[in-house]
C-alpha cells in the first residue's frame, strides 16, 4: 500500500508501505497512482513528497511477483512517467535504500533528497534483469553514460555521498530527511518543472562515445561467461545514446522481456531467496534459528597462520573483532605476521577508497603470540592448522584446558570428523566446524558443521559470526567432506576418469568453463595444489606405501580408482606452485596454464599400460558425467539430513565452488534439466561403469522421479525423516 497524508495544507505526502522493504507490489503501485491523482486534483496541494515507511524508501519491484502472471504485463514505467508528468513538484525523500524500481520511482521525481546513510542502486542485473522502469533511459540523462553504465551493469549500491557527487541526488542530509524534503518542496513551489523532467533531457555527449561503448562491451563480454543480463543492460544504455526517449523505452521493454523469460532470471531470483532461506537454519534434532541465541564474540583467536589462518585473521580484523593470532614457533609466527600485515594493508587500501578505515596496528586489536596462555580470555577460537587429525586433537585438548569454559572452539577443516576432534575436549557441546574457503578474507561461503554434541548456542554463535564477517553461513551435518567437498569428490573423480578414457584436461575444463564455472576441475586442482588431496589419499590408505601389496592399480576397495593424480604427484607435479601439474606454467607460481605434451604422452602410455581403448568423448558426456555425479551425491546428502534443503547445497556451490549463479546451483539446475532426464542419464552411465558407485542413482532421486518429478520446493516433503516436520 501507499499512505496518503498531508504535511501541511500545501504538501501531500505519499508514503510507500509494504514491510519489510516497501517492495513495489501491484497494490503499492496502484495506491501510488491514486495518491498522485488525488494530489493533482486538490487545488490546495502545491507540492508532493514521496517517501517510504520505516526508514526505507523502497527495495524495488517485488521479486516474488516476477513469476506471477498477474504482474507480468505491468509496466513500472507507466507509474514513473505519471510522477514525472505531474504538474506539481514531486520530491523523493530517500532513507535506507532506494534500489531497482525504488530508485526508478525516485528518478521520476523532480527532486531527490537522501539521508547520508542511504544507499541507492539498480541491482536488477544481479537478479538476471535490467532496470525495466525506464531507469536505463533516465539515469544516463541525469549522470552521464559512463557512471550510469557502471551502476546498471554492476548493480552495485551507491552510498549517498557518492550519489551526491554523481548528481544522482540534489541534497544529502545528516538529520531528518523528511523535514529536509519538505523544506525543499516548499522552496521549489512555482519553479518551472520542464528542466527537472529527465525524459526531456538529452544524454550528455562524450567526445569518444563510440570508442567508450565498444571498449565497455568488450570488457563486459569477457566477464559475462554466458550471463545475459550485463550485455542486455549495456544494449539498453546504448539505446539511450542513440534513440529518442520513447524509442529507448520501447527497446528497454523489449530487452527486459527477453531477460524475464530467459531462465537465467528465474535462477538468479531463486538464488536471491535461497541465500536468505539458509539463514533460517534447522537441524534434524529440532534446534533452529528460532530457538537458539548466539553469544557475543568480543575477542577471538586463530591458531595457525598458514594460507587459511591468515585469511581468517584478516576477516576478523576487518569485522572489528579483536584477534589473538597464534603460531607454534617464532619463525612461523614472523612469516605469518608479515603475510597478515600485507593482506591487511591491501584491504585497508581498498576500504579507504570507500572512505572507511581499518585499525590493525593496535595490539589490543591484533596480537601475535606463540603462547597459548594468551587465549585464556577469548570468547572463540578458530583452529586453522593443516588437515591432520592427531595434531588437531592435540590442539583441542590444550584449548579445552586453557580457554575459559564458555569459549567456543571452532575447527577450520574441509573434511575431518568434527565429533572426533570434539572428543579431545571436555566440552564437545562448544565445538563446531567452520569451513572457510580460500582466500578466506574474500570467499563468501562459510560451511558451519555441527557434530553430535554441538549445542544450538554454538551453532547460532557460528552463524552470527559468519554474518559479522559478511559471509554466507550454511549449517550442515557432519560427514566426510561435509556437503560441499563431498559433492566435489565425484565431480573431480569423473573428470579424471574421462582422461583415462580418452579426454584431455583442457577439453574437460573447456566444457565446464563454457557451462559457466569460473575455472574447470583441472585448473582448479592445479591452483589448489595436487599435494593436498594426495596427502589425504595417503592418509586414507588409497595411495602410497599404505596400499596393500598386490592391490590392482585401478581399483580400491572393489571400486574403480584412478592413480593418475598420484602419478603426477610422484613426479613432483603439484600444480601452479611447482610450475607443473595437469598443465604446464611459465614458472613455479605461474598462473598461465598451457596444455602440456608431457602429460599427453603420459596419458597415451597410461592407456596402453592399462589396456584402455581410447575413445572420443563428446561435450555432452563430459558435462553430464561431471555434473550429474555431483548432483547425485547432493540427493544422498539431502536424504541423510546432512543439509536441510536443496537451497543449502545451491548456496554452497554458488559461493564456495564458483558454480555459475545464473544457473541457480546444482540442485536447481537438476530441476531445470528435469529429474527423469538426470536419472536416465545416470542409469546409462552407471551401466557403462558399474564399478563407479558415484554414478549409481541415489534412492532419493529415484523416489522423486517415481512420484512425478515434483518442483524443487516440495522435494524435502518426500523424505520421511522427522526433520521434515520441524
Ligand atoms: C513490475 C516492475 C518491473 C521492473 C522494474 C523493476 C525491477 C526491480 O526493482 S527488481 C528488484 C531490485 N531490487 C533488489 O534487487 C533489491 C533486493 N533486496 C536487497 O538487496 C536486500 O534485501 C536489501 C538491501 C533491500 C535489504 O537487505 P537486508 O537488510 O540484509 O535484508 P534482507 O535481504 O534479508 O531482506 C529482508 C526481507 O525482505 C525481502 N526482500 C528484499 N528485497 C525484496 C524485493 N525486492 N522483493 C521481495 N522481497 C524482498 C527478503 O527476501 C527478506 O525476506 P525474508 O525476511 O522473508 O527472508
Amino acid at each position: 500500500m501507499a499512505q496518503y497524508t498531508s504535511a501541511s495544507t500545501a504538501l501531500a505526502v505519499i508514503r510507500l508501505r509494504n514491510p519489510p522493504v516497501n517492495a513495489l507490489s501491484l497494490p503499492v503501485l496502484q495506491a501510488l497512482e491514486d495518491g498522485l491523482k488525488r494530489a493533482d486534483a486538490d487545488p490546495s496541494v502545491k507540492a508532493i513528497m514521496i517517501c517510504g515507511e520505516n526508514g526505507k524508501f523502497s527495495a524495488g519491484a517485488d521479486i516474488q511477483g516476477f513469476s506471477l502472471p498477474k504482474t507480468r504485463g505491468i509496466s513500472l514505467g507507466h507509474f514513473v512517467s505519471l510522477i514525472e508528468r505531474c504538474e506539481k513538484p514531486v520530491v523523493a525523500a530517500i532513507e535506507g535504500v532506494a534500489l531497482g524500481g525504488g530508485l526508478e520511482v525516485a528518478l521520476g521525481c523532480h527532486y531527490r533528497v537522501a539521508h547520508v546513510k542511504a544507499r541507492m542502486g539498480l541491482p536488477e542485473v544481479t537478479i538476471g534483469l535490467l532496470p525495466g522502469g525506464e531507469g536505463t533511459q533516465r539515469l544516463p540523462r541525469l549522470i552521464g553514460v559512463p557512471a550510469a553504465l557502471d551502476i546498471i551493469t554492476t548493480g552495485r549500491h551507491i552510498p549517498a555521498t557518492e550519489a551526491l557527487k554523481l548528481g544522482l541526488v540534489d541534497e544529502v542530509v545528516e538529520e531528518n530527511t523528511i523535514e529536509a524534503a519538505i523544506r525543499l518542496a516548499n522552496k521549489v513551489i512555482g519553479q518551472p518543472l520542464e528542466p527537472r523532467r529527465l525524459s526531456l533531457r538529452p544524454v550528455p555527449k562524450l567526445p569518444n562515445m563510440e570508442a567508450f561503448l565498444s571498449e565497455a562491451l568488450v570488457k563486459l563480454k569477457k566477464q559475462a561467461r554466458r550471463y545475459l543480463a550485463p550485455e542486455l543492460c549495456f544494449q539498453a544504455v546504448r539505446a539511450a545514446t542513440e534513440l529518442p526517449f520513447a524509442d529507448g523505452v520501447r527497446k528497454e521493454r523489449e530487452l527486459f522481456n527477453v531477460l524475464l523469460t530467459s531462465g537465467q532470471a528465474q535462477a538468479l531470483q531463486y538464488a536471491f531467496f535461497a541465500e536468505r532461506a539458509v539463514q533460517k537454519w534447522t537441524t534434524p534434532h529440532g534446534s533452529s534459528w528460532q530457538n537458539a541465541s548466539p553469544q557475543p564474540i568480543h575477542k577471538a583467536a586463530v591458531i595457525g597462520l598458514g594460507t587459511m589462518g591468515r585469511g581468517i585473521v584478516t576477516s576478523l580484523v576487518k569485522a572489528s573483532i579483536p584477534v589473538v593470532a597464534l603460531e607454534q614457533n617464532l619463525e612461523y609466527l614472523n612469516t605469518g605476521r608479515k603475510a597478515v600485515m600485507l593482506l591487511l594493508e591491501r584491504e585497508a587500501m581498498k576500504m579507504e577508497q570507500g572512505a572507511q578505515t581499518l585499525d590493525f596496528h593496535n595490539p589490543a586489536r591484533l596480537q601475535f603470540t606463540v603462547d597459548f596462555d594468551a587465549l585464556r580470555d577469548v570468547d572463540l577460537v578458530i583452529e586453522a592448522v593443516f588437515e591432520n587429525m592427531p595434531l588437531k586433537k592435540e590442539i583441542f585438548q590444550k584449548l579445552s584446558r586453557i580457554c575459559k569454559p564458555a569459549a567456543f572452539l571452532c575447527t577450520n577443516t574441509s573434511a575431518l570428523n568434527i565429533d572426533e576432534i570434539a572428543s579431545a575436549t571436555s566440552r564437545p557441546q562448544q565445538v563446531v566446524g567452520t569451513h572457510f574457503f580460500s582466500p578466506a578474507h574474500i570467499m563468501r561461503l562459510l560451511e558451519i558443521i555441527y557434530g553430535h554434541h554441538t549445542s544450538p548456542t554454538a551453532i547460532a554463535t557460528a552463524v552470527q559470526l559468519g554474518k559479522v564477517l559478511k559471509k554466507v553461513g550454511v549449517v550442515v551435518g557432519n560427514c566426510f567432506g561435509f556437503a560441499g567437498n563431498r559433492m566435489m569428490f565425484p565431480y573431480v573423480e569423473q573428470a579424471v576418469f574421462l582422461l583415462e578414457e580418452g579426454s584431455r584436461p583442457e577439453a574437460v575444463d573447456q566444457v565446464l568453463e563454457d557451462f559457466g564455472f569460473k575455472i574447470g576441475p583441472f585448473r582448479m586442482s592445479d591452483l589448489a595444489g595436487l599435494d593436498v588431496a594426495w596427502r589425504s589419499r595417503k592418509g586414507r590408505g588409497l595411495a602410497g606405501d599404505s596400499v596393500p601389496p598386490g592391490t590392482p592399480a585401478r581399483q580400491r576397495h572393489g571400486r574403480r580408482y584412478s592413480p593418475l593424480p598420484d602419478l603426477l604427484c610422484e613426479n613432483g607435479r603439484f600444480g601452479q606452485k611447482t610450475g607443473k601439474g595437469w598443465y604446464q606454467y611459465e614458472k613455479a607460481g605461474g598462473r598461465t596454464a598451457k596444455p602440456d605434451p608431457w602429460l599427453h604422452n603420459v596419458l597415451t602410455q597410461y592407456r596402453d599400460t592399462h589396456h584402455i581403448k581410447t575413445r572420443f568423448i563428446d561435450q555432452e558426456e563430459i558435462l553430464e558425467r561431471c555434473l550429474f555425479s555431483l548432483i547425485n551425491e547432493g540427493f544422498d546428502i539431502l536424504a541423510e539430513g546432512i543439509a536441510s534443503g536443496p537451497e543449502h547445497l545451491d548456496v554452497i556451490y554458488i559461493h564456495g565452488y564458483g558454480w555459475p549463479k545464473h544457473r541457480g546451483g546444482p540442485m536447481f539446475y537438476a530441476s531445470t534439466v528435469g529429474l527423469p532426464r538426470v536419472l536416465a542419464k545416470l542409469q546409462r552411465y552407471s551401466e557403462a561403469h558399474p564399478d563407479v558407485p558415484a554414478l549409481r542413482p541415489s534412492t532419493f532421486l529415484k523416489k522423486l522421479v517415481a512420484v512425478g518429478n515434483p518442483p524443487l520446493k516440495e522435494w524435502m516433503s518426500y523424505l520421511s525423516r522427522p526433520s521434515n516436520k520441524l
Side-chain angles (χ1 to χ4, degrees):
M1 283 291 294
Q3 186 195 29
Y4 184 94
T5 53
S6 26
S8 64
T9 42
L11 189 85
V13 176
I14 301 173
R15 194 178 295 270
L16 307 171
R17 180 190 259 183
N18 186 11
V21 292
N22 300 324
L24 301 172
S25 62
L26 198 52
V28 172
L29 290 171
Q30 276 161 351
L32 170 66
E33 179 168 0
D34 292 347
L36 287 170
K37 285 183 177 157
R38 189 168 154 189
D40 204 29
D42 184 345
S44 69
V45 170
K46 304 290 179 224
I48 303 160
M49 182 186 64
I50 302 180
C51 59
E53 178 144 287
N54 281 336
K56 291 179 186 119
F57 190 76
S58 167
D62 183 348
I63 302 174
Q64 299 274 18
F66 286 124
S67 50
L68 304 174
K70 216 170 72 179
T71 29
R72 283 254 159 128
I74 304 298
S75 144
L76 177 64
H78 158 79
F79 299 94
V80 178
S81 298
L82 213 65
I83 299 171
E84 195 191 78
R85 284 204 305 272
C86 213
E87 289 303 332
K88 299 172 181 177
V90 186
V91 180
I94 302 174
E95 297 173 297
V97 287
L99 298 172
L103 183 58
E104 289 175 303
V105 163
L107 288 172
C109 297
H110 306 117
Y111 297 90
R112 287 158 290 279
V113 176
H115 187 263
V116 68
K117 291 200 172 137
R119 286 177 292 145
M120 281 147 267
L122 293 172
E124 287 87 340
V125 69
T126 64
I127 52 167
L129 296 173
L130 55 77
E134 305 179 355
T136 64
Q137 305 303 300
R138 278 198 181 81
L139 192 63
R141 285 174 162 81
L142 179 63
I143 62 171
V145 173
L149 193 64
D150 166 50
I151 290 175
I152 292 172
T153 57
T154 62
R156 73 186 176 92
H157 292 189
I158 313 290
T161 44
E162 187 184 346
L164 185 65
K165 278 189 206 145
L166 290 172
L168 179 55
V169 295
D170 301 290
E171 206 176 310
V172 168
V173 294
E174 294 199 7
E175 300 299 330
N176 193 318
T177 318
I178 305 291
E179 280 174 14
I182 293 173
R183 269 198 306 277
L184 180 65
N186 281 321
K187 200 168 99 185
V188 297
I189 290 171
Q191 289 186 14
L193 288 174
E194 292 301 277
R196 307 298 308 182
R197 294 191 168 108
L198 297 180
S199 68
L200 303 181
R201 286 195 195 174
V203 172
K205 294 248 175 305
L206 279 181
N208 52 353
M209 184 72 87
E210 212 23 70
F212 168 79
L213 288 174
S214 310
E215 215 173 284
L217 180 60
V218 170
K219 217 165 117 192
L220 271 182
K221 278 191 163 167
K222 210 166 142 195
Q223 290 164 351
R225 294 197 319 271
R226 300 196 174 214
Y227 172 22
L228 282 176
E231 197 177 329
L232 269 62
C233 282
F234 170 89
Q235 286 180 29
V237 174
R238 186 164 60 191
T241 69
E242 293 169 346
L243 303 171
F245 185 82
D247 293 341
V249 164
R250 262 191 290 280
K251 183 76 185 166
E252 178 193 273
R253 213 162 286 165
E254 188 188 300
L255 295 167
F256 183 83
N257 284 330
V258 171
L259 289 174
L260 194 61
T261 50
S262 68
Q264 295 195 356
Q266 280 98 319
L268 285 154
Q269 286 157 32
Y270 161 83
F272 174 86
F273 290 112
E275 219 173 275
R276 279 141 187 93
V278 300
Q279 292 172 22
K280 297 174 180 161
W281 59 272
T282 59
T283 72
H285 314 111
S287 51
S288 80
W289 65 285
Q290 282 167 308
N291 57 27
S293 309
Q295 291 299 304
I297 304 301
H298 301 295
K299 189 172 180 184
V302 176
I303 302 182
L305 294 178
T307 311
M308 294 309 296
R310 294 167 191 178
I312 297 169
V313 171
T314 305
S315 263
L316 289 162
V317 174
K318 273 179 74 183
S320 303
I321 299 177
V323 194
V324 181
L326 184 138
E327 254 298 355
Q328 57 177 310
N329 62 39
L330 281 175
E331 189 194 335
Y332 285 6
L333 187 74
N334 285 333
T335 312
R337 184 206 313 258
K338 275 188 204 139
V340 168
M341 287 309 196
L342 201 67
L343 287 181
L344 283 168
E345 267 151 27
R346 278 193 211 140
E347 290 303 305
M349 245 152 52
K350 282 192 226 160
M351 285 168 78
E352 273 159 26
Q353 282 163 7
Q356 286 172 286
T357 50
L358 189 59
D359 174 17
F360 57 94
H361 292 292
N362 177 352
R365 300 221 146 253
L366 175 57
Q367 176 192 351
F368 290 90
T369 185
V370 288
D371 182 3
F372 265 83
D373 267 349
L375 272 48
R376 283 192 186 281
D377 64 340
V378 300
D379 303 301
L380 178 140
V381 182
I382 303 173
E383 164 277 308
V385 303
F386 66 91
E387 294 284 63
N388 177 295
M389 182 58 89
L391 176 63
K392 289 200 186 246
K393 283 172 86 171
E394 188 191 315
I395 290 172
F396 272 74
Q397 203 174 30
K398 222 172 193 177
L399 290 174
S400 180
R401 276 202 318 271
I402 291 169
C403 294
K404 62 185 182 190
F408 297 96
L409 308 180
C410 307
T411 172
N412 175 59
T413 168
S414 59
L416 298 181
N417 188 339
I418 305 298
D419 289 331
E420 193 177 341
I421 295 172
S423 72
T425 75
S426 54
R427 54 177 101 166
Q429 75 285 356
Q430 308 276 95
V431 176
V432 61
T434 45
H435 179 198
F436 287 83
F437 288 70
S438 182
H441 59 298
I442 294 185
M443 292 292 284
R444 288 200 64 213
L445 180 64
L446 178 65
E447 230 179 355
I448 296 163
I449 307 106
Y450 57 87
H452 193 64
H453 300 284
T454 307
S455 69
T457 307
I459 302 176
T461 303
V463 169
Q464 180 60 24
L465 177 71
K467 268 192 204 153
V468 174
L469 300 184
K470 297 206 165 75
K471 307 231 173 265
V472 188
V474 185
V475 175
V476 296
N478 184 26
C479 64
F480 186 69
F482 317 127
N485 279 348
R486 182 169 153 185
M487 288 165 77
M488 182 60 25
F489 297 143
Y491 165 87
V492 174
E493 183 186 65
Q494 284 304 311
V496 176
F497 288 165
L498 288 162
L499 297 194
E500 290 189 330
E501 294 164 35
S503 201
R504 285 183 169 183
E506 46 277 23
V508 175
D509 279 347
Q510 193 60 55
V511 169
L512 289 150
E513 286 163 17
D514 283 349
F515 176 78
F517 272 98
K518 291 197 177 97
I519 182 167
F522 293 107
R523 268 187 250 278
M524 183 180 71
S525 301
D526 275 0
L527 177 69
L530 273 67
D531 52 326
V532 183
W534 191 36
R535 206 180 307 128
S536 164
R537 286 194 298 278
K538 286 198 279 192
R540 287 180 290 139
L542 297 169
D545 299 340
S546 54
V547 178
T551 305
R554 297 179 58 234
Q555 220 184 65
R556 298 288 183 275
H557 312 300
R559 302 161 170 200
R560 179 167 166 191
Y561 176 83
S562 175
L564 270 174
D566 303 333
L567 197 82
L568 262 64
C569 291
E570 284 154 15
N571 280 278
R573 297 176 72 105
F574 293 163
Q576 284 189 6
K577 59 181 148 192
T578 55
K580 286 178 182 132
W582 295 107
Y583 293 91
Q584 54 177 328
Y585 298 85
E586 65 278 22
K587 57 174 193 259
R591 286 169 175 232
T592 315
K594 270 194 0 203
D596 192 345
W598 179 89
L599 188 92
H600 299 159
N601 283 336
V602 165
L603 286 177
T604 310
Q605 283 167 22
Y606 178 90
R607 292 180 198 125
D608 286 347
T609 309
H610 296 289
H611 312 293
I612 304 168
K613 198 161 171 268
T614 306
R615 64 185 178 92
F616 170 75
I617 303 172
D618 64 18
Q619 297 183 355
E620 184 174 296
E621 180 172 346
I622 293 176
L623 193 68
E624 289 176 347
R625 278 180 56 189
C626 292
L627 296 189
F628 291 179
S629 58
L630 177 153
I631 289 164
N632 197 36
E633 194 67 41
F635 281 109
D636 277 349
I637 287 174
L638 293 178
E640 289 169 28
I642 295 292
S644 39
E647 303 87 354
H648 294 61
L649 303 180
D650 288 334
V651 170
I652 287 175
Y653 263 78
I654 288 170
H655 291 293
Y657 294 85
W659 181 280
K661 202 172 183 179
H662 60 269
R663 294 198 189 259
M667 307 317 281
F668 180 86
Y669 175 67
S671 76
T672 61
V673 170
L675 301 191
R677 182 176 160 85
V678 176
L679 175 62
K681 287 302 185 94
L682 279 168
Q683 269 159 344
R684 210 177 92 194
Y685 293 128
S686 179
E687 276 159 26
H689 307 276
D691 52 352
V692 181
L695 291 171
R696 247 171 260 156
S698 143
T699 310
F700 185 34
L701 168 62
K702 285 197 272 192
K703 179 169 182 178
L704 290 173
V705 173
V707 296
N709 187 23
L712 177 141
K713 61 178 186 301
E714 289 173 19
W715 289 358
M716 298 309 278
S717 66
Y718 290 91
L719 283 172
S720 45
R721 283 183 295 104
S723 62
N724 297 326
K725 301 195 177 65
L726 292 175

